[in-house]
Amino acid sequence: MTEEATLTGDPVRDPWETPMRLALAEAGHAALSGDVPVGAVVLDPDGVPLSFGHNERELTGDPTAHAEVLAIRRAAEHLGGWRLSGCTLVVTLEPCTMCAGAITQSRLDRVIYGARDEKAGAAGSLWDVVRDRRLNHRPEVVQGVLEPECAKLLTDFFRTR
């Protein structure tokens, strides 16, 4: 195993570990401004990062400034359109109902998340908005990628509050 594989995980075993590490790094930016440390990255169909986002609610005073929404907006701007077909959202925390709505509306193909959110999760925990059969678009969901690291970041943040 190469040193790079040791640092980033085995891409054959879990292809989502490397992008989740990018999302974790992005989450660290949120904590610097007093925001809940959640980070997100949107990948193009080839797995290349298109955009990044981290929570900015405290920083901007915008209640919709969740990591997922910001990353989705930036990806759409980068691509020049709202349809993100073929793209993947990687996020450190299970999306809430607002973010789940943005995910389905933007036509993302898949959502990869780390920590479950038992209090507000809308991708399998409390609700399952993204896979609701009544909707015309239902992305694939992969949960639990680097879950211990994602959960620890949140636990450490809230422990200091």
Side-chain angles (χ1 to χ4, degrees):
M1 179 179 281
T2 67
E3 182 178 60
E4 181 178 319
T6 303
L7 295 174
T8 61
D10 182 351
V12 174
R13 185 177 55 78
D14 191 345
W16 305 118
E17 283 187 11
T18 298
M20 184 61 77
R21 291 193 191 287
L22 294 173
L24 278 163
E26 189 68 21
H29 299 302
L32 296 175
S33 63
D35 277 286
V36 175
V38 176
V41 58
V42 174
L43 308 172
D44 75 7
D46 295 322
V48 176
L50 282 175
S51 64
F52 296 87
H54 59 269
N55 279 356
E56 295 182 14
R57 291 187 311 169
E58 298 297 331
L59 180 67
T60 63
D62 178 355
T64 68
H66 286 204
E68 301 94 311
V69 170
L70 295 174
I72 289 168
R73 286 179 187 161
R74 292 169 184 153
E77 184 177 326
H78 179 82
L79 293 175
W82 62 269
R83 287 180 185 88
L84 302 181
S85 300
C87 295
T88 299
L89 174 71
V90 179
V91 61
T92 57
L93 180 65
E94 180 180 358
C96 69
T97 54
M98 176 183 69
C99 294
I103 288 163
T104 59
Q105 291 299 311
S106 64
R107 307 298 194 267
L108 283 157
D109 275 13
R110 74 193 51 76
V111 178
I112 313 301
Y113 71 85
R116 290 173 57 91
D117 186 348
E118 300 293 340
K119 294 181 181 178
S125 291
L126 188 57
W127 296 288
D128 201 354
V129 172
V130 295
R131 292 180 287 196
D132 189 313
R133 292 179 183 262
R134 295 168 292 184
L135 299 175
N136 67 336
H137 180 75
R138 292 179 299 279
E140 173 189 2
V141 175
V142 176
Q143 64 186 37
V145 176
L146 298 180
E147 185 172 12
E149 292 94 324
C150 294
K152 182 178 183 330
L153 188 64
L154 292 160
T155 300
D156 291 349
F157 175 81
F158 285 113
R159 189 171 285 141
T160 64
R161 296 285 180 269

